[in-house]
Amino acid sequence: MRIGVIDSGVGGLSILNAVRESVPAQYIYCMDNQYLPYGTKSELFIRQRLLQLTRHLLEQYKVDLVLIACNTATTQAVDYLRQQFELPFVGVVPAIKPAAHYCGIQPFAVLATQATVNGPYIEQLVAEFAPKNDVQLIASSELVLLAEQKVWYRCDVTTEVRRVLLDTPLVQSKAAALVLGCTHFPFLADEIRACLGQSVRLFDTAEAIARRVKQLQLQFGLSQQEDGVADVFVSTAALDLIQQGRLAELGFGQHQCWPNPAGAEQVYSSVSSLS
Ligand code: DGL
C-alpha cells in the first residue's frame, strides 16, 4: 500500500509519525515548500495546487490513498478533490469536537492559519460541535515559519513563539483548551505551554487521523507494505544541505525534487548519499 501525504512544509510530519506507527505502508511525503505558507493563499490557488500535487502522486507513485496532512488545504480543498478523483482522501480539520467535549460550556481557542480561520468550514465545525462555547479563533503564519525553523534547523524558538502569542488575546483569555488547528503547531507544543501555562489543555488530531487511515486501509482492503521499500520525500523546491541531512532522521530513504530543477540529471537521490 502506498500513501501520499501532502502539506506545505513539515507540519504533516506531526501527523505522519502517528500514522506510520499504526499503518505499515510506503509513504510518499510531498512537501510543497515552493508555496509555503498556504495560510496566506486563496482558496482557488490551494485547490488548483492540491489538484496538481495529487495528480503527481497518482501518476508517479500510484498512491492508493492521499492524506491531506494540512488543515488549510483540507478546509479549502478536500471536498473539491473528492469530486475530481476516485481515490480515498483523509483530511485534517481542527479538533473542535474533542475540545468542546473536554470544555463543557467553558470557552476555548483555536490557533490556525488565516485561511483556516477565515473560511466557512471552521464556522460549520463550531456551529455543529461547539454551539454553546465561546470559541476564539486566532490566526498566525509566523508560527508556521517558526515550526519550520525548529524542525529543520533545531533552532530555539521559545522567545519568538512567546512574542507571537503575547500579541494575541490568548494569554489574557480564559480559554480552558487550545486547539492546534495547524499541523505545524504540535511541534511548538512545549513553547506554547511554556507561555500559556500547563493548565491549558492542547488538542491535536494525529491519533484520530491514524485511526481513520487504518479504518480506510481495512475498508478498501489495501495490502500492507512489502519489506524494505523506503519512504520518499518529495519537495517542490530545492532543500539546502541541512535539510537534506535531516531526511534520514525523519525516516525517509529517498528524496525527489519535483519539478526537477533545471540541469539536475536524475529524479531520485538516495538520502544516504546526501546526508
Ligand atoms: N500545516 C498547514 C496547516 O495545517 C499549513 C501551514 C501553512 O502553510 O500555512 O494548516
Side-chain angles (χ1 to χ4, degrees):
M1 176 187 189
R2 291 181 181 160
I3 300 181
V5 181
I6 303 176
D7 185 35
S8 55
V10 296
L13 298 175
S14 71
I15 304 281
L16 179 63
N17 292 340
V19 180
R20 259 180 181 152
E21 276 184 25
S22 63
V23 184
Q26 185 190 19
Y27 289 90
I28 296 96
Y29 187 91
C30 179
M31 176 176 87
D32 196 10
N33 51 333
Q34 190 179 353
Y35 291 108
L36 172 87
Y38 275 174
T40 52
K41 309 285 188 296
S42 70
E43 180 182 83
L44 182 65
F45 175 86
I46 292 171
R47 285 184 175 187
Q48 293 309 319
R49 189 62 184 159
L50 267 285
L51 188 76
Q52 283 178 338
L53 297 176
T54 304
R55 260 196 207 127
H56 178 64
L57 287 173
L58 264 174
E59 286 166 10
Q60 184 78 28
Y61 299 99
K62 315 269 178 287
V63 293
D64 303 292
L65 182 150
V66 170
L67 166 57
I68 311 288
C70 171
N71 294 261
T72 309
T74 301
T75 55
Q76 311 289 306
V78 77
D79 293 339
Y80 171 73
L81 293 171
R82 286 187 174 124
Q83 288 161 13
Q84 307 302 315
F85 298 94
E86 296 268 334
L87 186 71
F89 283 92
V90 176
V92 175
V93 296
I96 287 174
K97 188 178 176 183
H101 185 74
Y102 170 81
C103 289
I105 54 164
Q106 287 184 287
F108 66 89
V110 180
L111 188 59
T113 66
Q114 276 98 321
T116 302
V117 159
N118 296 329
Y121 206 114
I122 197 117
E123 264 176 53
Q124 288 164 26
L125 288 173
V126 171
E128 187 174 355
F129 299 115
K132 299 205 179 86
N133 304 79
D134 173 13
V135 181
Q136 200 169 35
L137 301 177
I138 296 168
S140 174
S141 276
E142 210 181 335
L143 291 177
V144 171
L145 303 180
L146 290 172
E148 293 282 322
Q149 291 296 314
K150 181 176 176 185
V151 172
W152 286 121
Y153 306 104
R154 299 194 169 94
C155 295
D156 180 352
V157 293
T158 315
T159 313
E160 287 86 350
V161 170
R162 190 176 175 78
R163 179 181 49 72
V164 173
L165 293 179
L166 288 178
D167 242 10
T168 71
L170 257 181
V171 181
Q172 275 83 39
S173 82
K174 307 248 177 310
L178 176 64
V179 176
L180 303 178
C182 167
T183 53
H184 279 71
F185 298 165
F187 288 118
L188 302 176
D190 290 343
E191 291 80 356
I192 292 172
R193 278 198 200 95
C195 179
L196 300 183
Q198 303 295 328
S199 62
V200 178
R201 169 87 186 263
L202 304 184
F203 283 88
D204 68 53
T205 29
E207 297 303 326
I209 297 300
R211 285 195 296 276
R212 179 69 186 142
V213 174
K214 181 90 206 160
Q215 201 181 41
L216 287 179
Q217 183 202 11
L218 298 173
Q219 185 181 326
F220 286 87
L222 300 167
S223 68
Q224 309 235 328
Q225 169 198 7
E226 311 96 74
D227 280 346
V229 187
D231 289 350
V232 183
F233 193 93
V234 180
S235 60
T236 60
L239 299 182
D240 63 30
L241 286 175
I242 295 178
Q243 292 174 310
Q244 290 174 26
R246 293 275 288 127
L247 289 180
E249 290 160 43
L250 294 170
F252 296 96
Q254 299 176 60
H255 172 225
Q256 181 202 2
C257 192
W258 177 82
N260 230 6
E265 53 228 31
Q266 224 326 65
V267 175
Y268 291 102
S269 313
S270 140
V271 162
S272 52
S273 72
L274 294 166
S275 47

